[in-house]
Amino acid sequence: MIKTLSSLILFFSILSLQAQQHELTLKASESMATIQPTMYGIFFEDINFAADGGLYAEMVKNRSFEFEDPNMGWQQPQSDRFSLNKESGIANVVKTMENGPNRNYLHVMINKAAGYELINEGFRGMGVQKDARYLISFGADRGEGNIDKLIFQFIGDNDKVLGKTEVPVSDKGWKYYEATLQATATEMKAKLKITFSGNGTIDLDMISVFPEDTWKGRKKGLRKDLVQLLYDLNPGFLRFPGGCIVEGRTLARRYQWKKTVGPIEERDYLINRWNTEFSHRPTPDYFQSFGLGFFEYFQLSEDLGAEPLPILSCGMACQFNTGELVPMDELDPYIQDALDLIEFANGSFISGWGKVRADMGHPEPFNLKYIGVGNEQWGPEYIKRYKAFEAAIKAEYPDMVIVSGSGPFPDGEFFEYGMEELTKLNAEIVDEHYYRPPQWFQEHADRYDHYDRKGPKIFAGEYAAQSVAIASPDNKNNWECAMSEAAFMTGLERNADVVVMTSYAPLMAHAEGWQWTPDLIWFNNLEAYGTANYYVQKLFATNSGTDLLSITGKANKPLIGQDGLYASAVKDAESGDLIIKLVNVKADATTVSIEVKGEKIEKEGTALVLTSDKMDAVNSFETPMQVSPKEMAVSIKKNAVTAELKPHSLTVLKLKIK
Ligand code: AHR
């Protein structure tokens, strides 16, 4: 389709040969490699409030009173639990057991209903939208007295009521109640206020508020706008649940998938390991409710059309923290977790873990093909544990593809040792991580050109350009970083015979609840936006193609930074598109003329252009599309396309085979 040319953005036209500065050749009929459908995926970790407080749409923080301080998130302004003035009433958390899921509930005693309020502050507030409907639910057990009703209100500043509903509570004995609360105004930082009708006692648990309008309308589901942003990325896989969160600071606090499935009120709670990780970004109220658990991750993968890639603890706590090791002769339960997970995902619905999945509403298998052993472990202890996992998994599931890891760095002692050992073991896919300055990404676009074609396939599992330094709170998702990643990604694509999976990290961050920056998507309680880096990922992932093509410049060489230019090219066998990604990292515009060999192409094509005049440009809640692609038309003459590449730009040219 021919789009109107925007005078502001780019000028593409048929240019005369004299104006050309770079002559490129695209070999359109020779497939150099298959681009795996998993090539561009997403890496989800519950960091930065990505799950609780983010994707998982629950609005009540500490709904089940299970945090270390079980009152966290809750206030009783009229009867502070430390004050002596408890005349109107008081609520106390009751512990039923020391460990295990759902050990606490709230015992409320009302003496003078008119004066008592129980308030939940949400995750840095609750985002409510005018006219939207919210599902209130809670468990209650009436005690002595005549409490007959709970009144739920959204409140804003100065206690302004933003919606109200009343829920009769009739029975003794635990019972679950539901009601709808419609918001009368939009407010980013609303709170939930609960008051009571009648005096006496009542026990409460699992006090919950979800928007009714969730992703796919699932009850108590995921935040629709956030999943949409993920969906729009067209991810080939979804890696979960992390990241360091897999490993835990200690083994006891590792992620254990079995504690995250089944009815939500029976799932365990865990302090989030990012709660205390960075003293410069403490997040004392960061816990994992596991409302977003392994079933939901599999379901989300299915919704996104992405291969699920669960990563499991291999019996090593985070080596940046305690590095605690499970002895080799006690590793079996960890290995069993992996085998049981495969059964949970793929097993028959009749019995065992397959039945657990079926009881949760998914009798069909999730068709799990990949499983990750360890997050970013390093050293001989990892290799020992990896071998034990590999032997056990392959013995039962020979077709399961195992993803191993080469540690946290892209080079150095840990990396080299890991790679060498995993290569000796014929590891199938090795996960590499690199958080490096933008310049590093530009300088290493040839990283995989030198990899052994007979060695393991590569999962570039976590990468992001760091504008200041790794883990610096001042890192920005600026255009310089995004453009440098784009330059590097042409190298990933050019090596698609070796690189089979890639993902930016981390994926999401709450504007007030984050610990780590940069992140691909930022959100608050009402809105979300994709960063410049998001649009780079999106341009690659929605134009991934099926076959790698050769595109070369002078002396028949691939473009890997000569004159600031980078390029890769693919064909999409289904659409008949030829897709060329071009990155110009220089401050000057440059012209390329690409001769297409081996196929005849239509006279018109399109260009998707991502650029900014300023290297420090960032998207924001105020200007979410400041750095975002613009579509342009291109014309083609004599089976060649000539295009002017903007300074500091990524251009995706799409041509049609005749
Ligand atoms: O992406 C943030 C963290 O970086 C991940 O949890 C970890 O794997 C890496 O060190």
Side-chain angles (χ1 to χ4, degrees), residues 247-248 316-323 376-379 381-382:
E247 308 155 65
M316 301 174 78
C318 182
Q319 290 165 278
F320 289 114
N321 301 139
T322 62
E376 54 177 24
Q377 270 61 58
W378 64 82
E381 294 298 339
Y382 174 60

Side-chain angles (χ1 to χ4, degrees), residues 43 45 47 239 243-245 247 274 320 375-376 408 433 435 462 505-506 516:
F43 160 87
E45 175 164 22
I47 182 173
R239 166 176 157 178
C244 293
I245 207 145
E247 308 155 65
W274 296 105
F320 289 114
N375 172 44
E376 54 177 24
H433 295 180
Y435 297 96
E462 291 185 31
W516 181 295

Side-chain angles (χ1 to χ4, degrees), residues 434-452:
Y434 20 90
Y435 297 96
R436 288 287 186 264
Q439 203 54 37
W440 183 93
F441 283 86
Q442 294 183 26
E443 286 164 3
H444 288 80
D446 63 346
R447 177 178 177 89
Y448 297 107
D449 294 344
H450 315 297
Y451 268 48
D452 178 1

Side-chain angles (χ1 to χ4, degrees), residues 118-405:
L118 182 62
I119 292 181
N120 188 272
E121 66 191 20
F123 296 90
R124 310 292 191 270
M126 295 180 185
V128 299
Q129 304 265 11
K130 185 172 187 309
D131 296 331
R133 291 157 63 88
Y134 296 85
L135 172 67
I136 306 279
S137 65
F138 59 97
D141 180 7
R142 268 183 60 178
E144 298 305 311
N146 62 352
I147 295 178
D148 60 352
K149 218 163 37 185
L150 266 61
I151 301 113
F152 290 85
Q153 297 172 68
F154 285 135
I155 54 167
D157 283 347
N158 303 319
D159 243 13
K160 186 170 174 214
V161 178
L162 308 174
K164 177 176 173 181
T165 191
E166 299 186 349
V167 192
V169 280
S170 47
D171 295 342
K172 289 210 181 220
W174 280 102
K175 187 180 161 190
Y176 278 92
Y177 297 85
E178 285 187 0
T180 298
L181 173 48
Q182 188 161 19
T184 54
T186 296
E187 169 59 54
M188 173 105 75
K189 287 180 174 285
K191 292 179 180 172
L192 180 74
K193 178 156 104 177
I194 308 172
T195 52
F196 298 79
S197 151
N199 295 330
T201 61
I202 186 164
D203 294 338
L204 299 174
D205 204 358
M206 289 297 285
I207 303 173
S208 162
V209 181
F210 276 84
E212 279 188 5
D213 190 19
T214 55
W215 171 252
K216 286 192 176 271
R218 290 202 185 102
K219 197 172 171 183
K220 303 191 181 183
L222 306 183
R223 220 176 107 168
K224 196 176 171 181
D225 59 334
L226 294 181
V227 183
Q228 188 65 50
L229 279 165
L230 302 184
Y231 185 84
D232 293 346
L233 281 172
N234 189 32
F237 65 88
L238 170 64
R239 166 176 157 178
F240 56 88
C244 293
I245 207 145
V246 168
E247 308 155 65
R249 298 175 72 84
T250 59
L251 285 174
R253 289 188 170 171
R254 71 190 185 279
Y255 194 103
Q256 298 184 60
W257 73 267
K258 288 174 181 167
K259 297 185 174 188
T260 76
V261 297
I264 54 171
E265 57 282 2
E266 288 169 23
R267 298 184 193 178
D268 217 343
Y269 260 80
L270 188 65
I271 185 168
N272 188 303
R273 54 103 62 231
W274 296 105
N275 180 315
T276 47
E277 183 70 14
F278 296 129
S279 51
H280 56 271
R281 291 291 303 172
T283 323
D285 55 343
Y286 200 1
F287 286 75
Q288 293 177 269
S289 73
F290 297 123
L292 174 54
F294 261 43
F295 178 85
E296 290 77 16
Y297 283 125
F298 279 113
Q299 196 175 45
L300 178 61
S301 308
E302 192 171 76
D303 292 349
L304 299 176
E307 295 292 346
L309 171 54
I311 309 285
L312 297 187
S313 160
C314 64
M316 301 174 78
C318 182
Q319 290 165 278
F320 289 114
N321 301 139
T322 62
E324 194 188 351
L325 287 176
V326 72
M328 285 303 287
D329 59 3
E330 293 171 26
L331 191 60
D332 280 358
Y334 291 73
I335 294 178
Q336 195 56 48
D337 271 357
L339 299 175
D340 290 343
L341 179 64
I342 299 171
E343 191 192 319
F344 175 77
N346 295 352
S348 150
F349 62 87
I350 311 271
S351 62
W353 284 106
K355 181 164 180 334
V356 176
R357 177 196 73 237
D359 290 348
M360 293 183 74
H362 203 287
E364 310 78 27
F366 280 119
N367 201 13
L368 176 68
K369 299 184 190 122
Y370 303 89
I371 192 164
V373 175
N375 172 44
E376 54 177 24
Q377 270 61 58
W378 64 82
E381 294 298 339
Y382 174 60
I383 298 299
K384 273 197 245 167
R385 284 160 181 74
Y386 167 76
K387 276 194 211 164
F389 269 79
E390 193 207 31
I393 294 171
K394 288 291 182 186
E396 266 194 61
Y397 301 101
D399 295 334
M400 189 58 54
V401 177
I402 303 180
V403 175
S404 52

Side-chain angles (χ1 to χ4, degrees), residues 371-611:
I371 192 164
V373 175
N375 172 44
E376 54 177 24
Q377 270 61 58
W378 64 82
E381 294 298 339
Y382 174 60
I383 298 299
K384 273 197 245 167
R385 284 160 181 74
Y386 167 76
K387 276 194 211 164
F389 269 79
E390 193 207 31
I393 294 171
K394 288 291 182 186
E396 266 194 61
Y397 301 101
D399 295 334
M400 189 58 54
V401 177
I402 303 180
V403 175
S404 52
S406 57
F409 311 121
D411 43 35
E413 197 188 321
F414 297 159
F415 174 80
E416 274 155 30
Y417 172 81
M419 260 307 185
E420 202 178 310
E421 293 302 311
L422 290 165
T423 305
K424 279 192 226 153
L425 292 170
N426 287 325
E428 292 167 294
I429 302 184
V430 179
D431 178 13
E432 298 187 355
H433 295 180
Y434 20 90
Y435 297 96
R436 288 287 186 264
Q439 203 54 37
W440 183 93
F441 283 86
Q442 294 183 26
E443 286 164 3
H444 288 80
D446 63 346
R447 177 178 177 89
Y448 297 107
D449 294 344
H450 315 297
Y451 268 48
D452 178 1
R453 275 29 215 174
K454 296 198 189 89
K457 301 290 180 208
I458 298 301
F459 172 25
E462 291 185 31
Y463 68 88
Q466 313 286 297
S467 63
V468 179
I470 185 165
S472 164
D474 299 323
N475 284 331
K476 295 280 179 282
N477 283 97
N478 66 29
W479 175 236
E480 184 184 18
C481 289
M483 179 193 70
S484 306
E485 288 153 12
F488 181 79
M489 288 173 80
T490 61
L492 296 176
E493 193 163 274
R494 189 179 51 256
N495 287 282
D497 55 331
V498 170
V499 182
V500 293
M501 294 176 138
T502 65
S503 46
Y504 182 97
L507 186 60
M508 290 205 246
H510 188 295
E512 291 178 47
W514 61 273
Q515 299 81 42
W516 181 295
T517 180
D519 304 286
L520 205 60
I521 293 168
W522 286 83
F523 62 91
N524 58 31
N525 289 341
L526 287 177
E527 302 160 309
Y529 68 86
T531 55
N533 318 66
Y534 173 91
Y535 288 107
V536 167
Q537 292 293 319
K538 187 172 171 184
L539 279 175
F540 274 78
T542 54
N543 293 290
S544 56
T546 54
D547 293 273
L548 179 68
L549 302 179
S550 150
I551 183 161
T552 50
K554 260 192 215 137
N556 219 11
K557 294 234 162 68
L559 273 87
I560 317 175
Q562 303 92 314
D563 250 338
L565 277 187
Y566 299 79
S568 60
V570 296
K571 176 167 107 178
D572 190 305
E574 249 176 61
S575 63
D577 284 343
L578 300 176
I579 306 168
I580 305 159
K581 287 139 192 147
L582 295 149
V583 180
N584 176 20
V585 300
K586 291 217 314 196
D588 309 309
T590 190
T591 304
V592 292
S593 170
I594 307 165
E595 189 189 354
V596 179
K597 291 203 165 154
E599 296 282 8
K600 289 271 166 253
I601 53 169
E602 300 283 2
K603 290 225 167 69
E604 272 126 20
T606 52
L608 295 160
V609 182
L610 191 58
T611 186

